[in-house]
Amino acid sequence: MINNNRDDRRSQFKKGIDADESRRRRTETTISLRKSKKDEGIAKRRARVMAPTTMTANDISSSSAPVVYGESKRDKVFTTQDIPSLMEQLHEIQQSGVMDGDKLKSIAQAFRKIMSVENNPPVHEVLNSGALPYLINMLSLTDKPLVQFEAAWALTNIASTDQTAAIVDGGAIPPLVQLLMSASADVREQSAWCLGNIAGGFEA
């Protein structure tokens, strides 16, 4: 009888271990699948080219027609070598006190393109340049939806890397949430992408 009780206890103990191990493996598999799905989505979002190059500020805020995304082959290819020039332009705009929408859009778009490469995007270089506060401030330019769109997209590219915390620490969450109520559908969508990447970055 004693031996039978011992065998029963050992059997129950082994079942408990097996159940724990099974749960652990299921959890690891779920996390792995979630991370793979997130990485795949990030790669697709970073690779997509969707800047509305022919739309005006009025178009982007009022048009109900779908935007045909794409960029001209004549568009400049930006690299990290352009970062000093872009920062100089930002400093000049700041000193002048004139928020030139066209210039700001071009600068935000340039930073976005720099970080749009699929493999090893140079996010550290962009952050080290001091561009992040400028990009976050652009989100608050309510009369310049094209600037907001490009800035939100640039921030989305940062949020899709391991530098998600930099965006949060920089104070981007409140303006991004505010942009979910933007009159521009494109701005709303891009802000939602960015917030989704931020949330996904902290889940991983």
Side-chain angles (χ1 to χ4, degrees), residues 128-201:
N128 291 337
S129 74
L132 181 60
Y134 290 95
L135 293 171
I136 293 175
N137 287 338
M138 290 180 196
L139 299 176
S140 300
L141 300 177
T142 55
D143 60 333
K144 297 175 175 59
L146 287 171
V147 176
Q148 292 176 313
F149 173 77
E150 288 292 347
W153 192 355
L155 293 173
T156 301
N157 286 349
I158 296 175
S160 68
T161 70
D162 59 358
Q163 295 302 307
T164 302
I167 296 179
V168 177
D169 295 341
I173 299 295
L176 284 170
V177 172
Q178 187 68 28
L179 288 182
L180 295 177
M181 296 181 287
S182 170
S184 165
D186 294 301
V187 173
R188 293 196 302 271
E189 180 187 11
Q190 196 59 55
S191 300
W193 276 116
C194 190
L195 289 167
N197 278 8
I198 291 172

Side-chain angles (χ1 to χ4, degrees), residues 48-57 59-60 66-76 78 102 105-106 109-110 112-113 146-147 149-150 153 186:
R48 65 182 180 150
V49 179
M50 48 178 283
T53 56
T54 59
M55 296 186 72
T56 65
D59 291 332
I60 196 170
V67 178
V68 178
Y69 297 122
E71 296 182 2
S72 168
K73 292 181 180 179
R74 296 190 298 271
D75 285 349
K76 174 177 171 57
F78 290 91
D102 289 337
K105 185 200 79 169
S106 296
Q109 187 179 81
R112 180 262 295 175
K113 289 181 178 180
L146 287 171
V147 176
F149 173 77
E150 288 292 347
W153 192 355
D186 294 301

Side-chain angles (χ1 to χ4, degrees), residues 1-11:
M1 181 66 68
I2 293 176
N3 287 338
N4 287 339
N5 289 338
R6 286 178 180 174
D7 290 341
D8 289 342
R9 285 196 297 271
R10 287 174 182 171
S11 177

